[in-house]
Amino acid sequence: LTQFPSAALVLSQEKGVRVPRPFSSGPSAFIPKEEASQVDPQTEQILAEAYSLSGHVDHLTQVMGLHPHYLESFLRSQFYLLRMDGPLPLHCRHYIAIMAAARHQCSFLVSLHVREFYRMGMCLDWLKGLQYAPQRLRNLNEINKILAHRPWLITKEHIQNLVKTGEHSWSLAELVHAVVILAHFHSLASFVFGSGINPQVDPQNANGFQSVFISDNCTCDLASDHHLDRDLSNTSPVTTDSVSELEALMDRMKRLQEEREEDEASQEEMATRFEKEKKESLLVGSGDMKNEVMPTSKVSRFVEDATFGYQHFARHGEDNPPTFRAQDYSWEDHGFSLVNRLYSDIGLLLDDKFRTACDLTYYNMASHEDVDTTMLRRALFNYVHCMYGIRYDDYDYGEVNQLLERSLKVYIKTVTCYPERTTRRMYDSYWCQFRHSEKVHVNLLLMEARMQAELLYTLRAITRYMT
């Protein structure tokens, strides 16, 4: 398959195009090229199928290829969402994807779908910016920004405003299709930044769009003259006794399993532990994050109200939104059936993707084999939902504090809530003894947990509107 570094070389040497130097060669700035490009027979077949559909294999797909079983499920659902029969026209789907990715300044995804949109040759004026799009699409801006940053604020009134707006109204089926696309690309932006996906140079350079770096946290600009001269690929990982860190984590998992078998916490105690973890998540990363506004880039043309961003679900000194009890409205019992009814078969595909990410295991942790990682995987997934105010009555949130050390929590919160601020240092700071493929699996879990949380809040609002 054609490799993009060679295309970049041709552009720079023959056409005088200024091509940015990536943090590291290969598909990821965080993962050594030789590991990110590992291909087994199953992965090779999946990548070949992806190549036959689009004519290239992007860096995102290559990194996901470290987990071929998940990649297969992901590509199946994304293909259905963007290309198969559905309520929305094809060009509108790609424009909604652009709107979603732009909320996080994710130029990698924006440029991919600008390219798709441009190749369709329809409504090209829309690419000048959101103000050039029809009012009906612009009306999605409110739900787009809330879903991306504070999904707990979605109400049935937001749904009503979209489906009852006269000539610009949406049908419920169209709205569900749009919401799934928005949630898909918000969460996919988390994966892009969390995995350090390197930008790509398109030899065709559709409509003058070109991905380049402008800062040290993987935020990139389209068709910009900004250029990163510092190469951070040689940054040393945070010094730590990673072997003892791994052994300590293994010991905590074993101890928690034994305690779970011996003594089950009461419902009251579990509720208290959830509230404690939710409030403590306020402090995670608070000293590590600067409140600066991210650099303006050409993806900003697809964003309105750019200052609207993530705020903690549980804020000090304010009336907090009520906790979302998963038992009252769960994906399995409520969301799945509603989304599948309004947008045929997408529920089945999403359910398969959620389950694949959560159940994926190779029964190892770093150098240890024959390890049951169920407890650790659930802690990662549930911590994301905890930050979004979603509580599972049957889960002991004390396990989160035991299994996820502070550096990992900082990474999770950043990747999930403001992914454009993710840095190589954050990625290197946790699980130093683990394989890069295991860290990619962490990002798959964070991505799916985030997407499911956004869908739960929106589908609950749609249910309330319908009743």
Side-chain angles (χ1 to χ4, degrees):
L1 299 181
T2 302
Q3 294 299 309
F4 280 97
S6 60
L9 189 61
V10 169
L11 280 171
S12 61
Q13 291 179 346
E14 296 184 5
K15 300 185 179 182
V17 175
R18 192 181 194 186
V19 177
R21 180 161 50 109
F23 293 147
S24 65
S25 62
S28 169
F30 300 166
I31 305 171
K33 181 179 179 181
E34 55 273 15
E35 183 166 346
S37 303
Q38 287 178 358
V39 178
D40 59 25
Q42 182 185 3
T43 308
E44 189 172 3
Q45 181 180 352
I46 297 169
L47 294 180
E49 290 173 1
Y51 182 82
S52 69
L53 291 172
S54 61
H56 74 284
V57 177
D58 60 60
H59 289 166
L60 171 64
T61 306
Q62 289 180 55
V63 171
M64 275 192 187
L66 291 170
H67 300 282
H69 185 47
Y70 173 83
L71 175 62
E72 194 170 17
S73 178
F74 172 85
L75 291 176
R76 192 185 305 122
S77 64
Q78 182 168 264
F79 184 82
Y80 186 85
L81 194 61
L82 295 176
R83 301 180 186 274
M84 297 294 285
D85 289 343
L88 293 174
L90 296 184
H91 67 296
C92 287
R93 302 181 198 190
H94 287 287
Y95 200 81
I96 293 168
I98 291 167
M99 290 173 62
R103 284 306 316 181
H104 288 304
Q105 298 287 312
C106 187
S107 297
F108 178 90
L109 292 175
V110 171
S111 60
L112 280 182
H113 292 278
V114 162
R115 210 170 293 142
E116 290 288 335
F117 195 93
Y118 188 74
R119 285 170 184 160
M120 291 180 182
M122 296 177 61
C123 309
L124 296 183
D125 278 353
W126 298 5
L127 296 180
K128 295 178 182 178
L130 194 55
Q131 68 268 35
Y132 292 89
Q135 187 61 46
R136 190 162 176 269
L137 278 173
R138 294 184 65 185
N139 288 345
L140 276 181
N141 180 64
E142 186 72 10
I143 203 169
N144 179 28
K145 73 177 187 181
I146 294 174
L147 263 185
H149 307 295
R150 308 173 205 171
W152 51 86
L153 298 181
I154 293 284
T155 66
K156 68 178 182 180
E157 284 73 30
H158 290 108
I159 308 304
Q160 182 173 329
N161 289 340
L162 286 166
V163 299
K164 290 187 176 181
T165 52
E167 59 179 317
H168 305 303
S169 65
W170 293 72
S171 70
L172 279 175
E174 289 172 328
L175 182 56
V176 165
H177 193 172
V179 161
V180 176
I181 293 173
L182 290 173
H184 177 83
F185 284 96
H186 294 154
S187 57
L188 195 54
S190 286
F191 183 86
V192 167
F193 286 111
S195 301
I197 303 299
N198 271 330
Q200 311 209 203
V201 176
D202 180 9
Q204 304 301 317
N205 198 15
N207 203 29
F209 280 79
Q210 176 187 349
S211 297
V212 296
F213 285 114
I214 60 169
S215 76
D216 64 355
N217 49 4
C218 290
T219 303
C220 39
D221 194 3
L222 297 176
S224 168
D225 290 327
H226 293 290
H227 178 57
L228 182 72
D229 293 318
R230 269 183 310 151
D231 187 342
L232 297 185
S233 60
N234 296 320
T235 303
S236 299
V238 174
T239 304
T240 183
D241 188 346
S242 54
V243 176
S244 62
E245 174 194 47
L246 174 62
E247 297 301 331
L249 178 57
M250 295 284 292
D251 288 343
R252 288 195 298 272
M253 289 174 61
K254 182 179 179 181
R255 187 176 68 252
L256 284 170
Q257 186 61 45
E258 292 170 351
E259 291 173 357
R260 183 191 288 177
E261 292 169 359
E262 292 174 4
D263 185 27
E264 189 172 318
S266 66
Q267 282 295 314
E268 292 76 11
E269 178 61 24
M270 299 244 267
T272 300
R273 290 175 184 176
F274 169 79
E275 292 299 327
K276 182 173 182 286
E277 191 60 48
K278 185 177 71 173
K279 289 175 181 175
E280 285 184 356
S281 74
L282 278 170
L283 306 175
V284 170
S286 58
D288 305 274
M289 289 296 159
K290 299 175 183 177
N291 291 322
E292 81 278 4
V293 176
M294 295 306 295
T296 301
S297 68
K298 289 197 174 181
V299 303
S300 300
R301 69 180 73 174
F302 302 111
V303 176
E304 290 181 357
D305 196 5
T307 59
F308 186 94
Y310 173 79
Q311 284 188 354
H312 298 289
F313 177 84
R315 283 163 286 169
H316 292 303
E318 297 185 30
D319 292 332
N320 297 327
T323 293
F324 187 128
R325 296 179 69 253
Q327 278 66 23
D328 295 337
Y329 198 95
S330 68
W331 167 255
E332 293 79 9
D333 297 332
H334 306 92
F336 168 81
S337 58
L338 176 63
V339 76
N340 220 44
R341 176 155 52 95
L342 291 171
Y343 178 18
S344 179
D345 292 336
I346 193 62
L348 294 168
L349 292 165
L350 292 175
D351 192 62
D352 178 69
K353 188 161 63 80
F354 291 149
R355 292 179 185 275
T356 300
C358 292
D359 296 343
L360 185 66
T361 183
Y362 305 94
Y363 299 101
N364 56 45
M365 279 176 57
S367 57
H368 292 264
E369 297 183 352
D370 299 319
V371 180
D372 183 355
T373 61
T374 304
M375 181 182 292
L376 186 55
R377 283 180 277 127
R378 190 174 184 191
L380 290 163
F381 193 92
N382 285 3
Y383 183 59
V384 172
H385 279 200
C386 177
M387 291 190 300
Y388 279 83
I390 299 174
R391 180 194 164 211
Y392 294 87
D393 289 348
D394 61 348
Y395 182 70
D396 182 357
Y397 287 86
E399 293 184 6
V400 168
N401 247 355
Q402 291 291 313
L403 298 175
L404 310 183
E405 76 274 16
R406 187 181 182 280
S407 60
L408 177 52
K409 284 184 173 182
V410 169
Y411 177 79
I412 292 171
K413 185 171 183 178
T414 306
V415 168
T416 304
C417 302
Y418 13 67
E420 61 275 11
R421 299 183 181 184
T422 307
T423 65
R424 167 74 181 268
R425 185 177 295 278
M426 291 178 188
Y427 177 89
D428 285 340
S429 69
Y430 82 95
W431 286 7
C432 300
Q433 195 71 9
F434 284 65
R435 302 176 184 90
H436 288 285
S437 60
E438 291 172 299
K439 292 192 173 189
V440 171
H441 187 189
V442 169
N443 280 320
L444 296 179
L445 286 166
L446 304 186
M447 173 173 68
E448 296 300 345
R450 177 181 179 178
M451 181 174 186
Q452 192 178 108
E454 288 191 24
L455 289 178
L456 282 173
Y457 276 109
T458 313
L459 294 172
R460 184 180 67 169
I462 291 174
T463 299
R464 289 175 173 175
Y465 165 77
M466 293 171 66
T467 55

